[in-house]
């Protein structure tokens, strides 16, 4: 059974780099009918917080990255780590070390002065020390002295590291707590992880982890270390570059399916295809298609992908998201409001759900100002007479529907002997604040009588005030 895992440290929100790793793990497990494990690596008690755990779980849920197992919490597995540390000591794969901080500092200085790589010299390795009550000791793993660690990384290719390069790393601190490399190894072993996909900031840990796995006679998983995501300046993506948290994109009106699509392409390709359904991602994904070089996060591209999804997803899905946003903004709407027409019109012209909602806000609340260009072009004295006439006729209209409104617009154009645009466009700017809307008769119907009349009146006042001679 193939098993992947996503193992975030809950020291902050889920950022796009983590989300991409999670997505790759998720896709691969789905493709091979394996299992996807979520493991919260919360052993750093000072930096891990319950809010971060929740933020990660929320983001995974928003993205739809469901897991087959977990979340496991490393803090709930301390006994197991201690048991394995004990086992390693008993089997001669680990030892107690009592080297003081001063000794280690001196050693490091000497090595640096001699232009050597700082590393533990194995001073306590063969002393057979036992812990004693008042003497602080750590536990170190006995890294093999001979030979080479070799693994074939799905992204980076063949990697060989000589054991002489690796020192005896600490697996338990002086307070007894296990270190990162130990807990990861124990978890990967116990959870039966067959494929480790993670950021390449961990590639240097891998030879050490493989050595510990071997000492435990555990199978060694396959590895794929994916390159970092960079910002547009070529530096590692960080807060400096703007939004990095997944939920910031949610709040900005991006769709989870679009963000996933963007992220999958950021580090993986399938020919030159850009837009993938989730099923296509699952079907086409392959570890060997992962990019070898780092990719840069490009907000314009993400916007474009989001726009593709806005335009092409089933209308009901977009309407649903629009409603959610209106609810969030606490804007009331009638249950029978004709969302489909309005949403379908504007979704072609925007990049995000938030922009989409902004462009139809006039349906739900009075606008504070007219679109400047539209007002300049249309709300001028020649519009006064058509607007006044429309106001009079619409005020008397009993049957408020698109047909009857259309008849009134037509009647005014005839009476005043002007083209449709000279009547319809002032009406449009008056009631929507801008120069783009669904057919004007439908729009006026949608807005209802009171709102429409009120807004026409305001436009007349606006023209009179701004163009008073
Ligand atoms: N917890 C580590 C991190 O968040 C990941 C460890 C791993 O994937 O092995 O960077």
């Amino acid at each position: 059974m193939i098993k992947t895992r996503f193992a975030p440290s809950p020291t902050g929100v889920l950022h796009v780099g983590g989300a991409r790793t999670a997505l790759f793990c998720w896709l691969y497990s789905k493709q091979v009918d394996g299992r996807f494990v979520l493991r919260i690596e919360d052993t750093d008690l000072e930096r891990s917080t319950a809010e971060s755990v929740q933020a990660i779980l929320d983001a995974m849920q928003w993205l739809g990255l469901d897991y087959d197992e977990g979340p496991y919490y490393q803090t709930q597995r301390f006994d197991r780590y201690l048991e394995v540390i004990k086992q390693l000591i008993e089997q001669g794969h680990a030892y107690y070390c009592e080297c003081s901080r001063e000794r280690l500092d001196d050693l490091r200085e000497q090595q640096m002065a001699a232009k050597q790589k700082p590393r533990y010299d194995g001073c306590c390795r063969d002393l057979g020390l036992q812990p004693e009550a008042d003497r602080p000791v750590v536990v170190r793993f006995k890294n093999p002295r001979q030979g080479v660690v070799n693994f074939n990384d799905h992204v980076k290719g063949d990697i060989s590291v000589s054991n002489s390069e690796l020192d005896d790393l600490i697996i338990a601190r002086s307070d007894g707590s296990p270190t990162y490399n130990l807990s990861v190894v124990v978890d990967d072993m116990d959870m039966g992880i067959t494929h480790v996909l993670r950021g390449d900031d961990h590639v240097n840990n891998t030879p050490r982890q493989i050595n510990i796995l071997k000492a435990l006679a555990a199978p060694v998983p396959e590895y794929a270390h994916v390159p970092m995501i960079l910002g547009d300046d070529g530096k590692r993506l960080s807060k400096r570059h703007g939004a990095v948290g997944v939920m910031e994109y949610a709040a900005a009106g991006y769709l989870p399916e679009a963000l996933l699509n963007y992220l999958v392409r950021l580090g993986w390709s399938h020919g030159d295809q850009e837009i993938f359904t989730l099923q296509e991602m699952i079907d086409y994904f392959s570890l060997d298609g992962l990019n070898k070089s780092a990719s840069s996060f490009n907000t314009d591209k993400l916007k474009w992908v989001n726009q593709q999804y806005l335009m092409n997803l089933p209308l009901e899905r977009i309407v649903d998201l629009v409603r959610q946003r209106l609810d969030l903004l606490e804007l009331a709407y009638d249950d029978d409001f004709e969302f489909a027409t309005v949403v379908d019109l504007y979704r072609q012209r925007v990049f995000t759900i938030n922009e989409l909602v902004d462009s139809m806000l006039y349906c739900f609340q009075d606008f504070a100002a007219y679109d400047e260009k539209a007002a300049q072009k249309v709300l001028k004295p020649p519009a006064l007479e058509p607007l006044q006439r429309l106001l009079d006729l619409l005020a008397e209209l009993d049957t408020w529907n698109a047909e009857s409104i259309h008849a009134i617009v037509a009647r005014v154009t005839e009476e005043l002997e002007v083209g449709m645009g000279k009547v319809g466009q002032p009406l449009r700017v008056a009631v929507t604040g801008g120069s783009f809307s669904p057919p004007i008769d439908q729009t006026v119907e949608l807005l209802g009588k009171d709102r429409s009349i009120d807004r026409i009146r305001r436009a007349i006042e606006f023209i009179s005030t701004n163009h008073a001679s």
Side-chain angles (χ1 to χ4, degrees):
M1 161 74 70
I2 286 186
K3 254 199 202 182
T4 61
R5 89 300 197 271
F6 176 52
S9 304
T11 54
V13 298
L14 182 65
H15 50 81
V16 290
R20 187 188 61 167
T21 304
L23 172 62
F24 289 161
C25 295
W26 183 89
L27 285 174
Y28 189 58
S29 71
K30 291 273 178 237
Q31 179 181 78
V32 297
D33 223 355
R35 289 174 81 78
F36 173 52
V37 174
L38 177 64
R39 180 167 85 217
I40 305 290
E41 303 206 324
D42 53 353
T43 49
D44 184 342
L45 298 178
E46 276 176 16
R47 295 178 61 223
S48 303
T49 64
E51 295 82 66
S52 300
V53 172
Q54 197 52 51
I56 291 169
L57 298 180
D58 290 347
M60 297 281 287
Q61 191 182 19
W62 181 71
L63 289 169
L65 299 178
D66 52 341
Y67 26 92
D68 305 297
E69 279 178 40
Y72 295 115
Y73 294 86
Q74 288 194 323
T75 43
Q76 292 172 8
R77 291 178 42 80
F78 265 69
D79 288 351
R80 173 64 183 144
Y81 305 140
L82 300 189
E83 185 179 81
V84 173
I85 291 167
K86 188 159 163 263
Q87 178 195 335
L88 284 167
I89 296 171
E90 283 169 4
Q91 293 175 342
H93 291 299
Y95 61 93
Y96 292 103
C97 165
E98 61 170 7
C99 289
S100 64
R101 172 99 338 258
E102 295 81 61
R103 179 178 184 276
L104 294 175
D105 287 346
D106 286 349
L107 178 65
R108 164 179 289 264
E109 263 174 41
Q110 285 166 23
Q111 288 169 334
M112 302 269 272
K115 304 232 178 308
Q116 290 166 354
K117 193 168 149 192
R119 55 205 299 278
Y120 181 62
D121 60 358
C123 173
C124 297
R125 181 171 168 123
D126 298 313
L127 299 184
L129 296 171
Q130 289 302 314
E132 281 171 32
D134 54 353
R135 193 180 50 175
V137 287
V138 299
V139 179
R140 288 184 185 270
F141 174 65
K142 247 186 208 178
N143 200 76
R145 289 231 154 124
Q146 315 293 327
V148 174
V149 194
N150 184 274
F151 66 101
N152 196 344
D153 190 276
H154 280 278
V155 178
K156 304 201 173 285
D158 208 29
I159 295 185
S160 290
V161 177
S162 166
N163 274 320
S164 61
E165 296 277 315
L166 306 170
D167 60 1
D168 291 349
L169 85 154
I170 296 176
I171 55 175
R173 301 183 188 90
S174 55
D175 64 2
S177 62
T179 57
Y180 159 73
N181 277 302
L182 188 277
S183 38
V184 164
V185 162
V186 176
D187 286 349
D188 285 344
M189 170 176 78
D190 286 357
M191 295 167 193
I193 303 300
T194 60
H195 288 71
V196 172
L197 280 70
R198 61 184 169 195
D200 67 1
D201 48 338
H202 285 290
V203 71
N204 290 337
N205 287 319
T206 305
R208 298 175 183 283
Q209 294 179 4
I210 291 177
N211 278 337
I212 305 178
L213 284 164
K214 284 187 175 155
L216 292 167
V220 176
E222 292 186 37
Y223 293 91
H225 287 92
V226 293
M228 298 282 96
I229 300 179
L230 307 178
D232 43 19
D233 55 359
K235 303 229 170 70
R236 189 177 164 171
L237 188 69
S238 75
K239 256 311 338 119
R240 275 182 303 115
H241 298 100
V244 290
V246 164
M247 295 313 274
E248 290 176 71
Y249 288 97
Y254 288 87
L255 281 70
E257 38 283 71
L259 187 58
L260 289 177
N261 191 145
Y262 175 70
L263 288 177
V264 82
R265 284 285 296 107
L266 195 64
W268 172 82
S269 51
H270 178 75
D272 50 15
Q273 186 168 341
E274 290 291 355
I275 301 296
F276 297 85
T277 64
L278 213 46
Q279 194 55 49
E280 283 176 326
M281 288 188 215
I282 294 170
D283 291 344
Y284 303 158
F285 185 76
S286 84
L287 296 179
D288 299 318
L290 291 169
N291 294 348
K292 301 203 180 334
S293 51
S295 356
S296 304
F297 197 86
N298 179 331
T299 308
D300 287 337
K301 168 100 182 271
L302 170 60
K303 274 187 174 176
W304 177 82
V305 174
N306 206 56
Q307 185 183 43
Q308 301 304 306
Y309 276 83
L310 275 176
M311 291 192 306
N312 298 317
L313 279 180
L315 191 54
E316 308 83 76
R317 164 94 175 117
I318 309 296
V319 168
D320 206 39
L321 292 168
V322 165
R323 280 174 195 261
Q324 285 175 27
R325 170 109 187 121
L326 288 170
D327 293 343
L328 190 79
L329 297 175
E330 295 183 354
L331 287 171
Y333 49 87
D334 287 345
D335 283 341
D336 55 0
F337 182 81
E338 259 299 320
F339 276 104
T341 323
V342 191
V343 168
D344 202 26
L345 178 83
Y346 289 115
R347 70 166 166 165
Q348 313 291 333
R349 303 167 55 95
V350 294
F351 290 107
T352 64
I353 289 290
N354 294 12
E355 287 175 10
L356 176 53
V357 169
D358 284 351
S359 61
M360 51 190 284
L361 273 186
Y362 68 85
C363 300
F364 311 102
Q365 65 176 19
D366 285 336
F367 43 87
Y370 297 105
D371 173 80
E372 229 174 278
K373 273 196 198 141
Q376 250 172 33
K377 189 161 168 230
V378 179
L379 295 186
K380 295 190 300 198
L384 273 177
E385 200 182 6
L387 283 175
Q388 189 58 55
R389 194 72 192 114
L390 284 167
L391 180 64
D392 295 344
L393 292 171
L394 288 171
E396 278 163 21
L397 186 63
D398 290 328
T399 319
W400 194 263
N401 61 33
E403 239 177 29
S404 55
I405 293 163
H406 180 83
I408 287 182
V409 175
R411 183 169 151 195
V412 175
T413 58
E414 272 167 35
E415 279 181 17
L416 301 180
E417 294 179 359
V418 291
M420 206 54 159
K422 293 274 186 277
V423 179
Q425 206 53 5
L427 178 58
R428 173 170 281 125
V429 181
V431 297
T432 70
S435 52
F436 188 76
S437 80
I440 188 61
D441 44 5
Q442 283 179 36
T443 309
V444 173
E445 177 188 0
L446 211 70
L447 288 171
K449 187 165 177 174
D450 292 348
R451 225 170 215 166
S452 303
I453 299 277
D454 188 51
R455 289 183 187 178
I456 296 170
R457 207 169 266 139
R458 272 179 47 201
I460 292 173
E461 274 167 32
F462 175 87
I463 302 176
S464 312
T465 320
N466 282 277
H467 297 273
S469 47

